[in-house]
Amino acid sequence: RTIEVPKIEATFLKSFGFGQAGAEVILVNPDYLLAVLDDETRANYIEKRNQREESAYRYQQGVFSGKHSMVQVKSFAPYEDEQLEDVYLDPLARASFDASKNTWTFYKYNQNLQNNKPVKEEIKLDKLLVKQSNDQTSAAPILKTSVKARLQVTIQEKAEGLAEKADSRSQGVGVDVEPVLTFADYKNKTTFLARNFTEREQSYCNKANSPAASYAGRWAAKEAVIKALSNSAPGTRSLWQGAEAPLIDIEIVQSSSGAPEIVLHGHAKEVFQALGLNEVKVSISHTAEVAVAQALTL
């Protein structure tokens, strides 16, 4: 039988985690919270909520495609070894967000201990490479270096013959699916479009019979290219700038035959060159609901 419970107007939730992990949150019934918001605040809330839903959908697609696991457990501490005592014993120790790692760390905490003098990141190859007993050099897990540093080391390895030869690599394949509904309100996504699509791409999509489907197809193609480049050399360290990095460096244009063609710029082009690849091909298809793209590296 149905059990009636009193309507919850608000509640308080506290989570006790291990180590320094813990959280507190106040939950308010939306009937009470949203009712007191003015139109502008409510519109801003809806926009942020839609962004979270889109981000959650892309994360879910990453799980289904094997790009990453559902729960990504950290494999390293958010502080340097020499910081351990200071971080644990100083009640004023605070973490800061590191965009290159897309997480919160105490790596910059030493700045407060040195009168706010910035700590410069040094690129040391002897820390990025490990000599094995058989005198072969392999890439070590890189946990505390920027994507720029990792890219520079990979390029240097390639020049010195430490990376695999391009002809010994398997072809990289990437597939991505994007709902057309994601771009149904593309006219309201001006900031997002400017950050991820070139002017040439925007012009093409805006003139298409279905701009939303066209944008969805090109977004799926950009994601597919990243996947193809990544699995063309699965043993290589991660060279990308993080999940929140813009995709404008991967441009989808129309060839003379009408087929989509990839033009790489900036960081994406540097990754392509660092991996020793020759070509990236892409195919895009649509239905009324979704766009599908497949990319292949050669």
Side-chain angles (χ1 to χ4, degrees):
R1 64 186 179 86
T2 301
I3 299 177
E4 294 186 3
V5 296
K7 184 176 182 179
I8 298 177
E9 300 178 358
T11 185
F12 177 78
L13 177 65
K14 186 175 181 68
S15 172
F16 295 96
F18 295 100
Q20 291 188 329
E24 296 177 350
V25 61
I26 296 177
L27 304 174
V28 181
N29 190 303
D31 291 345
Y32 296 92
L33 179 62
L34 300 181
V36 299
L37 300 180
D38 57 60
D39 293 341
E40 182 179 359
T41 303
R42 186 172 184 274
N44 291 335
Y45 163 75
I46 293 175
E47 181 180 359
K48 291 181 179 179
R49 183 192 63 190
N50 291 339
Q51 291 175 353
R52 288 196 298 269
E53 290 179 349
E54 292 175 7
S55 178
Y57 175 82
R58 289 195 293 272
Y59 188 92
Q60 184 184 48
Q61 289 297 311
V63 175
F64 291 156
S65 64
K67 185 177 180 181
H68 53 76
S69 60
M70 174 65 76
V71 178
Q72 300 184 47
V73 180
K74 294 291 191 297
S75 58
F76 59 96
Y79 45 77
E80 303 281 1
D81 292 341
E82 59 270 19
Q83 291 179 301
L84 188 148
E85 185 174 343
D86 292 326
V87 169
Y88 272 89
L89 299 182
D90 185 356
L92 299 179
R94 295 292 183 270
S96 58
F97 186 76
D98 189 332
S100 67
K101 302 173 183 62
N102 196 33
T103 188
W104 292 79
T105 70
F106 288 89
Y107 296 160
K108 295 183 179 180
Y109 176 58
N110 281 340
Q111 295 179 10
N112 295 329
L113 304 180
Q114 300 176 6
N115 297 322
N116 293 322
K117 292 181 180 179
V119 179
K120 295 180 65 177
E121 178 184 36
E122 297 181 358
I123 302 173
K124 297 184 178 180
L125 297 185
D126 58 340
K127 288 188 177 180
L128 300 183
L129 303 176
V130 175
K131 283 285 186 179
Q132 296 182 335
S133 57
N134 59 0
D135 201 29
Q136 293 181 346
T137 306
S138 63
I142 298 180
L143 306 177
K144 303 172 184 177
T145 55
S146 67
V147 66
K148 182 178 180 180
R150 300 196 297 271
L151 185 58
Q152 288 177 349
V153 172
T154 299
I155 293 174
Q156 183 171 337
E157 287 178 343
K158 184 68 177 177
E160 295 176 352
L162 299 177
E164 295 179 281
K165 293 182 179 180
D167 57 5
S168 67
R169 298 179 187 272
S170 60
Q171 293 180 340
V173 179
V175 178
D176 194 76
V177 180
E178 187 68 32
V180 174
L181 187 61
T182 301
F183 293 90
D185 59 340
Y186 70 95
K187 292 183 179 180
N188 298 324
K189 296 179 179 289
T190 54
T191 301
F192 176 83
L193 296 181
R195 190 168 184 265
N196 292 283
F197 294 87
T198 64
E199 292 183 0
R200 184 162 46 171
E201 287 177 311
Q202 293 183 56
S203 176
Y204 176 86
C205 293
N206 291 336
K207 295 176 182 178
N209 292 332
S210 175
S214 188
Y215 275 118
R218 272 156 174 71
W219 180 262
K222 292 170 184 278
E223 294 277 8
V225 167
I226 291 179
K227 295 174 182 177
L229 289 174
S230 298
N231 68 37
S232 67
T236 304
R237 61 180 63 83
S238 174
L239 302 176
W240 298 106
Q241 297 172 312
E244 301 304 321
L247 301 185
I248 196 169
D249 284 350
I250 302 174
E251 184 179 18
I252 317 298
V253 299
Q254 191 172 18
S255 65
S256 57
S257 67
E261 195 172 52
I262 301 296
V263 179
L264 300 177
H265 309 277
H267 184 76
K269 185 175 182 180
E270 292 177 346
V271 171
F272 176 82
Q273 293 172 340
L275 294 175
L277 298 171
N278 298 314
E279 187 178 6
V280 183
K281 295 193 173 192
V282 68
S283 177
I284 304 174
S285 184
H286 304 82
T287 69
E289 293 80 22
V290 298
V292 183
Q294 180 176 6
L296 175 69
T297 61
L298 303 172

